[in-house]
Amino acid sequence: MPEPTESLDFIRSKVKADLEAGAYPGVVTRFPPEPNGYLHVGHAKAICADFGIAADYGGRCNLRFDDTNPATEEREFVESIQADIRWLGFEWGGEPLHASEYFKQIYDYAEALISKGLAYVDSSTEDEVRELRGTVTEPGRRSSYAERTVEENLALFRRMAAGEFAEGEHVLRARIDMANANMKMRDPLIYRIKHAKHHHTGDDWHVYPLYDFAHCLSDYIEGVTHSMCTLEFDVNRAIYDWFLEQLTEGPRPHQYEFARLELTYIITSKRRLKALVDEGRVSGWDDPRMPTLAGMRRLGYPPEAIRALMARVGISKSNSLVEYGWLEDAVREQLNTTAPRALAVLRPLKLVITNWEGGDTTVDVPTWPQHADRDECRAVPFGRELWIDQEDFEEVPPLGWKRLAPGREVRLRSAFLVTCDSVIMKDGEVVEVRCTADLDSRGGRAPDGRKVRGTIHWVPVNGAVDAEVRLYDRLFADEVPGEGKESVFDSLNPKSLEVLTAKVEPTLATAAGGERFQFERLGYFTVDSSDPFVFNRTVTLRDSWAKAKPTARKARGVQGPTVSRAPLPAAAQGLVNRHGIADDHARVLTGDKPYLDLFLGAVEAGGAARTLARLIVDELRKAGEGVVAVDALVALGERLDSASIPGTAARPVLVELLASGDGVDTIVARLGLEAADSSALEAAVDAVIEANPDEVARFRGGEKRLTGFFIGQVMRAMGGKADGKAVQAVLRAKLG
Ligand code: ATP
Ligand code: MG
């Protein structure tokens, strides 16, 4: 068994231990894409984990299309997913599989569950189901339909499957625990009626299993041993295990969760990627600017670079936002050794060597100049007329200019030294540069050893290949697209594509689609099509984005090449979206179930979400162990928001709430925390102003830093019993 040399990630360690302990005869993993979009770079992480781990331990990885939802599957996606996995360098064991192949077996498991008295047909409406489910803070109640006998349930379920009922009329639910703290365990729905035509099973089925029931059983049916998914599924693990324990014999598969891959400057939500395509913001799922594997392939990214990024990122349980530049660096590193050099002129300007009489010739240009041990050259045609890049000529050169200008000498890469004598103008534009060559400088070496600092690239006019060159840049201009904007589309980079009509060296006339080159001094390019020629810029030679926004990066605490700020996990993002609370608050809340339950309960009870989140995360956590009652938290939030107690009162009140059963008002009264009324506050401010005339004068003279001094003075005068915001307001009014 080939043993990976680096230290093992937590899943590999587990696989290794399981195999050593003989828990399974071999390792079997699966990659379960839903065929409702193209694979993106985030999926590449899951692919490298699922296929990579199986390969490392001599096992098998199944490709299983998760097509349990009859509505979404599309042939295009099934095909692109297979092509992209193979392109990335992986192969699945056997034929591609489909969860729909197991519909009959999964159905039989459902009947078995009913027979054991562990599932029942519920005929409640959707609203009733929701109502009875309870909340995170209140246990749910079981529907009265749960009293149906096994026989009744079996008969009804069979009639559901036979298509005798309308959608929504009945559902099948597992009988687990309506009071479980994990909402997923409160008698989850496992089958629903759907009269849809399925891509594979046609009209065979009128009931379809839900993810939590279908996934674990599909894994079991395939003999999967280690079933990997992303972190947001950690709440599904209990139900995954429960179904398998009720219905199957060991050895059973187990679920392991790892952090999603998130990169700066891209999005990986399939829904949003689809919107980019549907709204025509890009040319398709494989637009070279898309973070899809198909897009990256067209852009020219080698699969090795994507795998190298995944190896560098590793598999762990902590979310992190990875600098997009890491991927580009991996691409450059890979292409540096695999992409031959070529000459191309992106914005052509004609250069004529007036003393050239040698007719058409060729010069030898090194193809791997960066590799000391590879001295291959190619013969590039050369003659009297050449193309150079407009950017390499300046009529009035700025200070320090090393390229071509009237009277200046430069080296034409690997060819000759030329000096500009004159230019030809048309409509105020330079249309031709006329030069004299040092005919003894073949190869670009001055015969007398004189120093020529500048070297520019060129393409012969005779034999040049016309090519469209697409200069692609990042699709989004913001590090976290959509952050602080109304829509992610507001983050689109308006300059993500520039199309040029270029000239490339004649030797490229035979280049084939997918071939990659380094155009000297310009970047890496790949052949998108060869008839007519289209080259896509894969990546520039240097990272032009690295120092793009130093202030924004600093504000995020980003230093060096990695973005240390973790992205919001999906659950936290959901809280932010629904309740408008701060990212950091959402992060803490979703990481801590009792706090999350308290928060959701308090919001449901009518509390202000932002206040509640702040109270729990910034105050309650520091006030002691445990949580307080929902009502108490809501009451405290209201008193703070109405400034009837000062902000500083939150902590002591929470400490008391944790310790005693008293209500908020009782505690506030006992601790004497009532905010002073406004007249007392105004009097205190007046007194502070009168006692500090110098500071007042300096403040009015513009020294605004003294604000803190005044607030401190007033607070002290009030014995801490004033609300910070109220103090500020009064100070502002009186000090101007
Ligand atoms: P959705 O289910 O919303 O359509 P998805 O991104 O989960 O989107 P799937 O096709 O279900 O898409 O994903 C297949 C596998 O890829 C899953 O196991 C999923 O956990 C994994 N995956 C998806 N996105 C990422 C990511 N950003 N990083 C790592 N793994 C991912
Ligand atoms: Mg999914």
Side-chain angles (χ1 to χ4, degrees):
M1 191 176 303
E3 190 73 69
T5 46
E6 333 81 272
S7 68
L8 300 182
D9 56 70
F10 78 99
I11 299 180
R12 283 184 165 85
S13 306
K14 180 75 171 96
V15 169
K16 183 166 178 264
D18 282 348
L19 291 178
E20 279 166 7
Y24 305 104
V27 56
V28 181
T29 61
R30 89 289 170 262
F31 175 64
E34 190 177 335
N36 61 352
Y38 276 55
L39 296 178
H40 53 63
V41 65
H43 290 117
K45 177 171 179 182
I47 293 171
C48 286
D50 294 331
F51 288 88
I53 290 174
D56 282 355
Y57 293 92
R60 178 182 93 227
C61 178
N62 292 342
L63 168 59
R64 181 204 311 148
F65 290 106
D66 176 7
D67 60 353
T68 45
N69 183 358
T72 57
E73 194 204 6
E74 278 185 45
R75 196 70 228 158
E76 178 194 1
F77 299 137
V78 168
E79 270 157 24
S80 72
I81 287 170
Q82 298 187 42
D84 291 344
I85 295 172
R86 288 198 163 121
W87 174 73
L88 203 52
F90 297 103
E91 187 62 54
W92 45 92
E95 291 293 306
L97 305 168
H98 295 82
S100 58
E101 292 167 42
Y102 316 133
F103 278 167
K104 175 72 173 88
Q105 288 169 82
I106 295 170
Y107 175 86
D108 289 343
Y109 278 118
E111 285 207 353
L113 207 59
I114 296 174
S115 301
K116 289 176 158 219
L118 292 175
Y120 59 91
V121 173
D122 193 344
S123 312
S124 311
T125 63
E126 236 178 90
D127 284 343
E128 285 162 351
V129 169
R130 196 174 315 119
E131 172 102 25
L132 289 172
R133 189 179 290 131
T135 65
V136 279
T137 51
E138 284 164 44
R141 279 164 296 136
R142 194 157 267 157
S143 134
S144 54
Y145 295 107
E147 328 241 298
R148 284 174 168 150
T149 64
V150 168
E151 288 67 35
E152 280 175 299
N153 283 317
L154 269 181
L156 270 173
F157 186 49
R158 285 174 186 160
R159 290 177 60 201
M160 283 164 64
E164 291 185 25
F165 301 111
E167 291 189 6
E169 231 179 308
H170 309 283
V171 291
L172 184 69
R173 301 178 70 171
R175 182 195 301 271
I176 308 181
D177 174 9
M178 287 306 291
N180 203 296
N182 181 345
M183 300 284 284
K184 296 247 173 219
M185 298 292 272
R186 295 190 183 174
D187 290 11
L189 269 56
I190 59 180
Y191 264 92
R192 65 185 158 173
I193 299 172
K194 255 197 176 186
H195 299 298
K197 199 180 194 72
H198 188 282
H199 286 251
H200 277 115
T201 58
D203 295 320
D204 290 357
W205 294 96
H206 298 279
V207 287
Y208 288 92
L210 278 100
Y211 172 89
D212 281 323
F213 194 60
H215 202 87
C216 57
L217 289 169
S218 303
D219 282 349
Y220 180 79
I221 292 166
E222 288 178 12
V224 167
T225 57
H226 298 78
S227 179
M228 289 161 255
C229 59
T230 42
L231 279 185
E232 65 271 24
F233 286 90
D234 59 349
V235 290
N236 302 63
R237 193 184 337 115
I239 184 99
Y240 183 103
D241 289 341
W242 190 88
F243 285 130
L244 292 182
E245 274 157 28
Q246 306 310 319
L247 293 168
T248 69
E249 302 280 310
R252 303 187 178 105
H254 285 285
Q255 176 187 301
Y256 301 90
E257 309 93 31
F258 60 80
R260 301 176 74 80
L261 175 73
E262 305 283 356
L263 291 172
T264 56
Y265 293 102
I266 64 159
I267 55 172
T268 54
S269 148
K270 268 197 247 176
R271 190 176 48 78
R272 286 168 163 183
L273 292 174
K274 185 171 183 310
L276 286 171
V277 175
D278 290 347
E279 292 187 20
R281 313 258 181 172
V282 293
S283 62
W285 284 93
D286 68 345
D287 185 298
R289 291 164 295 183
M290 288 283 271
T292 53
L293 297 182
M296 290 180 171
R297 173 171 58 231
R298 271 189 68 195
L299 190 57
Y301 282 13
E304 294 85 353
I306 296 175
R307 295 204 305 265
L309 175 75
M310 301 312 156
R312 182 171 179 190
V313 169
I315 297 174
S316 81
K317 272 189 171 293
S318 54
N319 278 308
S320 67
L321 184 57
V322 175
E323 178 65 54
Y324 192 80
W326 279 27
L327 178 52
E328 290 178 327
D329 281 346
V331 170
R332 288 187 192 101
E333 201 168 308
Q334 180 66 28
L335 294 183
N336 182 40
T337 55
T338 54
R341 300 235 174 145
L343 298 174
V345 167
L346 300 188
R347 296 173 183 85
L349 170 63
K350 192 176 274 182
L351 181 152
V352 176
I353 304 177
T354 50
N355 62 335
W356 186 263
E357 281 166 4
D360 285 348
T361 177
T362 61
V363 295
D364 287 342
V365 184
T367 300
W368 304 99
Q370 75 278 35
H371 297 295
D373 53 339
R374 295 178 76 170
D375 49 12
E376 290 154 53
C377 282
R378 59 197 192 284
V380 179
F382 186 88
R384 188 169 185 271
E385 293 191 336
L386 308 167
W387 298 112
I388 63 167
D389 248 309
Q390 286 166 19
E391 287 174 5
D392 285 333
F393 178 82
E394 202 56 74
E395 226 194 329
V396 187
L399 218 63
W401 181 256
K402 294 199 194 92
R403 292 169 265 170
L404 199 58
R408 305 275 185 100
E409 184 173 43
V410 294
R411 175 180 303 101
L412 295 173
R413 176 78 171 127
S414 301
F416 289 88
L417 302 173
V418 293
T419 303
C420 171
D421 306 311
S422 62
V423 297
I424 294 178
M425 314 274 297
K426 196 176 166 202
D427 301 332
E429 296 275 319
V430 176
V431 292
E432 190 177 304
V433 180
R434 299 181 74 81
C435 295
T436 319
D438 177 342
L439 297 172
D440 293 326
S441 65
R442 184 174 266 274
R445 279 172 297 271
D448 58 356
R450 70 178 180 279
K451 239 195 170 136
V452 176
R453 286 201 297 173
T455 298
I456 65 174
H457 56 270
W458 52 273
V459 166
V461 168
N462 229 346
V465 177
D466 289 318
E468 177 175 315
V469 167
R470 299 184 183 154
L471 299 181
Y472 287 109
D473 202 349
R474 295 184 183 174
L475 183 57
F476 291 102
D478 295 324
E479 205 163 51
V480 181
E483 190 180 67
K485 308 249 160 109
E486 224 157 78
S487 131
V488 281
F489 297 139
D490 295 337
S491 289
L492 283 169
N493 175 7
K495 293 189 221 114
S496 61
L497 173 58
E498 186 182 358
V499 180
L500 301 172
T501 307
K503 306 278 184 188
V504 302
E505 66 172 63
T507 66
L508 294 193
T510 53
E515 270 193 78
R516 305 178 182 94
F517 299 91
Q518 184 194 128
F519 288 168
E520 292 214 21
R521 302 174 64 225
L522 298 173
Y524 292 100
F525 290 77
T526 193
V527 181
D528 192 58
S529 85
S530 53
D531 185 25
F533 263 110
V534 176
F535 284 89
N536 294 338
R537 181 171 67 193
T538 307
V539 67
T540 51
L541 293 177
R542 258 165 253 95
D543 186 354
S544 54
W545 287 82
K547 285 163 222 85
K549 292 185 191 108
T551 45
R553 293 170 59 82
K554 209 159 175 190
R556 288 177 207 288
V558 178
Q559 273 155 10
T562 32
V563 174
S564 53
R565 203 195 65 129
L568 272 192
Q573 188 63 54
L575 273 194
V576 171
N577 297 347
R578 274 194 303 284
H579 302 293
I581 63 175
D583 286 9
D584 286 341
H585 290 161
R587 211 184 289 274
V588 173
L589 289 175
T590 47
D592 207 315
K593 188 138 192 334
Y595 288 142
L596 178 62
D597 291 350
L598 174 61
F599 171 75
L600 293 175
V603 168
E604 202 157 296
R610 295 175 71 95
T611 306
L612 295 167
R614 191 184 55 73
L615 267 180
I616 296 172
V617 176
D618 297 340
E619 304 291 348
L620 179 59
R621 280 201 307 165
K622 293 168 191 151
E625 296 273 303
V627 295
V628 299
V630 167
D631 295 349
L633 191 75
V634 172
L636 177 58
E638 276 167 6
R639 294 212 56 171
L640 287 165
D641 284 345
S642 66
S644 79
I645 53 173
T648 49
R651 188 82 55 85
V653 172
L654 286 165
V655 169
E656 285 295 302
L657 279 172
L658 286 171
S660 74
D662 294 340
V664 171
D665 292 345
T666 317
I667 294 172
V668 167
R670 186 163 73 231
L671 299 182
L673 290 170
E674 299 281 357
D677 63 19
S678 57
S679 59
L681 177 57
E682 286 190 21
V685 172
D686 288 339
V688 167
I689 288 178
E690 208 177 307
N692 298 284
D694 288 355
E695 282 78 5
V696 171
R698 275 161 55 203
F699 181 87
R700 292 198 168 125
E703 226 177 294
K704 298 294 174 206
R705 320 176 265 135
L706 286 168
T707 309
F709 162 81
F710 286 113
I711 293 176
Q713 293 292 310
V714 175
M715 285 301 224
R716 188 164 320 149
M718 301 287 297
K721 289 185 204 167
D723 183 68
K725 282 210 194 90
V727 173
Q728 265 180 342
V730 177
L731 273 171
R732 207 176 305 124
K734 301 214 178 232
L735 281 173

